Amino acid sequence: MSKAGRLVVLVSGSGTNLQALLDASADPSYGARVVAVGADREGIAGLDRAEKANVPTFVEKLADHPSRADWDAALAARIASYEPDLVVAAGFMKILGEPTIGAFPVVNTHPALLPSFPGAHGVRDALAHGVKVTGCTVMLADSGVDTGPIIAQEAVSVLPDDDEESLHERIKTVERRLLVDIVGRMAREGWTVSGRVVRIGNQTGGESK
């Protein structure tokens, strides 16, 4: 059964999920701490948040490498240098390649109830479809787009006057809380994976991932 004490968090933007993890991990009882924050671009608020918390940062830009495969390998090497138990993609807007996915368990979030509405526009797509309930998903990332094994989900009602911005803001509030809860439980209790089923804690029936 795997446990996750050392976290490397990957960000591409404002870093609100990162901040929630930084705040939670300030309490020793949380069971995990952020040992590094990586980004695919410079000058973002997520890196500022890490620096204010005295957490090491690194930037690995795709444009600095001759190919996507070279970037994948370089990113994985930078992550590995911090010896993480778990990688958290917290608003990271690049699909992670096999060098990272194959080497580390990666937790990702999505603002919809997967497998419905995967991809970059989950909130917009849910609204356009006319659903009355959407939500957020915490998953283990794989090589696909929002196709990894689901760890947890929570529903969010769609209100009659919702637009994409208002709905997304309510989803993000739930997403931050759910991500912090799940990462902490994985750190304290461990987890197992059996097929597409992820179990947290001392439940039987899975193999360590």
Side-chain angles (χ1 to χ4, degrees), residues 110-208:
H110 182 69
L113 296 175
L114 295 172
S116 297
F117 312 116
H121 305 294
V123 179
R124 182 189 310 172
D125 293 344
L127 273 174
H129 200 76
V131 299
K132 305 307 179 188
V133 176
T134 183
C136 61
T137 301
V138 178
M139 78 201 94
L140 286 172
D142 63 9
S143 58
V145 178
D146 300 323
T147 56
I150 292 169
I151 306 171
Q153 294 179 301
E154 190 163 328
V156 174
S157 295
V158 180
L159 303 180
D161 59 349
D162 263 332
D163 58 19
E164 184 177 356
E165 182 179 2
S166 64
L167 178 57
H168 202 177
E169 283 303 314
R170 293 207 318 284
I171 291 173
K172 286 192 288 188
T173 299
V174 174
E175 179 184 70
R176 286 191 290 271
R177 174 173 49 76
L178 189 61
L179 177 65
V180 167
D181 176 62
I182 290 301
V183 169
R185 288 184 58 204
M186 291 171 78
R188 295 187 301 272
E189 303 171 37
W191 76 94
T192 57
V193 182
S194 179
R196 292 194 56 84
V197 177
V198 182
R199 296 181 175 89
I200 297 177
N202 297 317
Q203 299 165 307
T204 59
E207 295 181 357
S208 210

Side-chain angles (χ1 to χ4, degrees), residues 52-164:
K52 287 177 183 176
N54 295 314
V55 173
T57 64
F58 62 90
V59 176
E60 206 63 62
K61 294 188 287 186
L62 182 58
D64 289 344
H65 298 277
S67 71
R68 181 63 180 252
D70 289 315
W71 177 79
D72 286 335
L75 179 65
R78 293 293 288 272
I79 294 170
S81 70
Y82 293 97
E83 300 180 340
D85 299 300
L86 187 69
V87 175
V88 181
F92 192 64
M93 300 308 292
K94 295 281 193 301
I95 296 174
L96 295 168
E98 180 58 32
T100 296
I101 295 294
F104 315 101
V106 179
V107 170
N108 195 10
T109 64
H110 182 69
L113 296 175
L114 295 172
S116 297
F117 312 116
H121 305 294
V123 179
R124 182 189 310 172
D125 293 344
L127 273 174
H129 200 76
V131 299
K132 305 307 179 188
V133 176
T134 183
C136 61
T137 301
V138 178
M139 78 201 94
L140 286 172
D142 63 9
S143 58
V145 178
D146 300 323
T147 56
I150 292 169
I151 306 171
Q153 294 179 301
E154 190 163 328
V156 174
S157 295
V158 180
L159 303 180
D161 59 349
D162 263 332
D163 58 19
E164 184 177 356

Side-chain angles (χ1 to χ4, degrees), residues 11-74:
V11 296
S12 292
S14 62
T16 53
N17 281 343
L18 165 64
Q19 188 65 58
L21 288 167
L22 289 169
D23 293 345
S25 62
D27 183 347
S29 67
Y30 184 63
R33 62 188 178 93
V34 181
V35 297
V37 173
D40 61 337
R41 63 197 70 186
E42 297 170 338
I44 59 172
L47 292 174
D48 295 338
R49 292 176 188 273
E51 289 163 5
K52 287 177 183 176
N54 295 314
V55 173
T57 64
F58 62 90
V59 176
E60 206 63 62
K61 294 188 287 186
L62 182 58
D64 289 344
H65 298 277
S67 71
R68 181 63 180 252
D70 289 315
W71 177 79
D72 286 335

